Amino acid sequence: MLGFFKKNKEKNTSELMTTVKDQKGSKARFHKLKVIDVRSETEECVSVSFEVPDGDMFCFVPGQYLTIKKTINGEELRRSYSLCSSPLDGELRIAIKRVPEGRFSTWATTVLRVGDILDVMPPTGSFTLEVDTETTEDFVGFAAGSGITPVLSMIKTVLKSSLTSKFILFYGNKKTNSIIFKRELEDLKDTYIGRLEVHHVLSREDQGNDLLFGRIDAGRSKSLIEKLPSSIKPKGYFLCGPEEMIHSVSDSLKDSGAEARRIHFELFSTNQVAVKTKEKKGAKGPSSSVTVILDDEKTHFEQGPTAFVLDAALDAGADIPYACKGAVCCTCRAKVLEGTVEMSMNYALTEEEVDDGYVLTCQSMPRSPNVVISFDD
């Protein structure tokens, strides 16, 4: 067995496994965690492992992420990064890829060191895969760039939890040397022979196969799906990457006959300009009386119809949890108990969550005289 599997050999490998149901009611609060490992994955990406605190606060479900807070050059920054480790590893490890002009990612990939202390929220997120260890289940994943991070956690958990389940991955990158976790994926294939397929799709490197040369766009995703073995009956499809790829693959899957309820996705970024434009064009009207509930404490304030609840609550002094403010993460998720709000954008909540009254407060504007929103539900 290869090195990265040996690392946690003597640990209780089930200590970080939990379920979405068991996470209900957990509080989104920052905790100080020590960095115990910083590992270079590519020239632009590092993976970072944290010391696991006592208790079950940091147990997680494959696919979830950590929100990190750090003050850099006098500015408080918050970023969310998916866990690439499996909860069966007994490890909290995330991947951080440097992006152009990325203040946090640049600092993390060049300055962050072992022994540093960071403010970290417990794992959260609705892009999850819960494995049934009693049955054989097949899964298909589409990822691009750093979108591999949560999918890798899922892959490792599926392979380790079951003796027969399989995972097929289509993974898009520019070139071979930009493939994050390339060696780890190869090691997994060698360890779990016949149960993991990995197909690299490269946009700037010809592998001698037209199907695998280019981006995972509408045409290519359709062709890749058509190549899936007829013996595979996927329990779920897991998509993670840029918005354009998500829409292309999702549409192709539906066209191929896949049920919408089996298609799960998470965006790593979206069009921030569209979010700001929607905010400015909010409906005209009188102010609303808004109450937010957090840890059984109520904060009351007045706000206009074009302001987002999260921003207004922060201005009123409420310590509301948040990260991206762009409708991508779920950190600011809360439930509307009274009144109505309008969400400008939503890339994180499922239809079921919306039907149950949950909203992203970073994108929610009041649409009734009185609104009560709880972060405790």
Side-chain angles (χ1 to χ4, degrees):
M1 192 173 288
L2 296 167
F4 74 90
F5 286 107
K6 294 179 180 178
K7 181 175 289 186
N8 295 309
K9 185 176 179 181
E10 297 181 359
K11 288 188 177 181
N12 176 3
T13 56
S14 64
E15 62 183 336
L16 295 183
M17 180 68 83
T18 189
T19 65
V20 173
K21 181 180 179 181
D22 287 342
Q23 286 181 325
K24 297 291 185 182
S26 61
K27 305 300 182 184
R29 286 287 180 266
F30 284 105
H31 301 260
K32 294 190 179 298
L33 300 188
K34 180 188 291 187
V35 174
I36 59 174
D37 185 46
V38 179
R39 186 164 69 204
S40 176
E41 301 294 347
T42 68
E43 290 184 358
E44 299 179 332
C45 178
V46 297
S47 65
V48 180
S49 181
F50 295 97
E51 186 173 68
V52 181
D54 293 334
D56 58 5
M57 182 68 71
F58 280 82
C59 291
F60 65 99
V61 184
Q64 293 188 316
Y65 60 83
L66 300 178
T67 296
I68 301 173
K69 179 174 66 174
K70 173 68 177 177
T71 298
I72 300 175
N73 297 327
E75 180 184 8
E76 181 185 287
L77 302 177
R78 300 187 183 201
R79 299 292 186 269
S80 296
Y81 294 101
S82 294
L83 288 149
C84 57
S85 54
S86 164
L88 297 177
D89 295 337
E91 181 183 35
L92 285 172
R93 182 177 290 273
I94 61 173
I96 303 174
K97 181 181 179 180
R98 186 166 63 252
V99 297
E101 300 181 7
R103 289 163 293 175
F104 187 96
S105 64
T106 299
W107 174 85
T109 54
T110 58
V111 179
L112 181 63
R113 296 290 183 268
V114 170
D116 287 350
I117 306 294
L118 294 179
D119 290 314
V120 184
M121 276 189 191
T124 189
S126 57
F127 180 63
T128 56
L129 189 162
E130 296 188 75
V131 181
D132 183 351
T133 59
E134 302 299 322
T135 61
T136 296
E137 298 176 330
D138 299 325
F139 302 92
V140 175
F142 284 83
S146 56
I148 186 61
T149 310
V151 178
L152 179 62
S153 178
M154 296 175 179
I155 290 172
K156 290 193 286 189
T157 305
V158 167
L159 297 177
K160 292 183 178 185
S161 297
S162 167
L163 296 176
T164 54
S165 294
K166 298 179 181 179
F167 208 111
I168 299 176
L169 172 67
F170 299 102
Y171 184 18
N173 283 280
K174 294 178 181 178
K175 297 182 178 181
T176 299
N177 63 7
S178 68
I179 299 175
I180 305 173
F181 302 123
K182 181 177 183 295
R183 179 180 175 184
E184 188 162 358
L185 287 167
E186 291 174 347
D187 289 346
L188 286 167
K189 284 177 60 180
D190 292 340
T191 302
Y192 300 97
I193 296 174
R195 295 178 53 209
L196 173 63
E197 289 185 27
V198 181
H199 303 279
H200 293 290
V201 182
L202 304 179
S203 61
R204 299 184 185 178
E205 184 177 310
D206 192 345
Q207 305 174 78
N209 184 331
D210 290 341
L211 183 58
L212 301 179
F213 181 40
R215 294 180 179 274
I216 303 180
D217 53 17
R220 184 160 285 102
S221 62
K222 181 177 183 295
S223 298
L224 292 171
I225 292 167
E226 290 174 348
K227 295 293 184 180
L228 288 172
S230 58
S231 59
I232 295 291
K233 306 298 181 185
K235 172 74 176 298
Y237 303 86
F238 293 87
L239 291 47
C240 190
E243 185 175 357
E244 184 178 355
M245 186 206 79
I246 296 295
H247 290 314
S248 295
V249 175
S250 182
D251 290 343
S252 296
L253 285 170
K254 291 174 184 176
D255 290 343
S256 72
E259 298 176 76
R261 66 184 180 89
R262 297 190 184 278
I263 302 172
H264 312 276
F265 67 87
E266 181 169 75
L267 298 174
F268 265 24
S269 63
T270 188
N271 188 348
Q272 297 296 317
V273 175
V275 176
K276 294 177 182 178
T277 301
K278 292 247 183 181
E279 180 183 358
K280 291 179 180 179
K281 291 182 178 179
K284 303 293 183 182
S287 296
S288 297
S289 176
V290 181
T291 299
V292 295
I293 303 171
L294 179 66
D295 291 342
D296 294 325
E297 293 187 4
K298 296 181 180 180
T299 302
H300 307 279
F301 51 91
E302 298 288 322
Q303 74 168 95
T306 63
F308 293 133
V309 170
L310 173 63
D311 294 329
L314 292 172
D315 289 342
D319 188 19
I320 302 301
Y322 71 91
C324 75
K325 284 192 175 184
V328 176
C329 80
C330 237
T331 310
C332 68
R333 172 184 178 270
K335 188 172 186 178
V336 178
L337 302 183
E338 180 182 328
T340 58
V341 301
E342 176 188 349
M343 269 197 296
S344 177
M345 302 185 77
N346 171 32
Y347 291 104
L349 298 175
T350 64
E351 291 183 7
E352 290 79 7
E353 287 176 307
V354 174
D355 290 341
D356 287 339
Y358 289 97
V359 296
L360 301 174
T361 54
C362 73
Q363 297 296 310
S364 297
M365 298 170 284
R367 290 293 179 261
S368 61
N370 296 289
V371 175
V372 179
I373 297 179
S374 174
F375 288 83
D376 292 344
D377 287 80

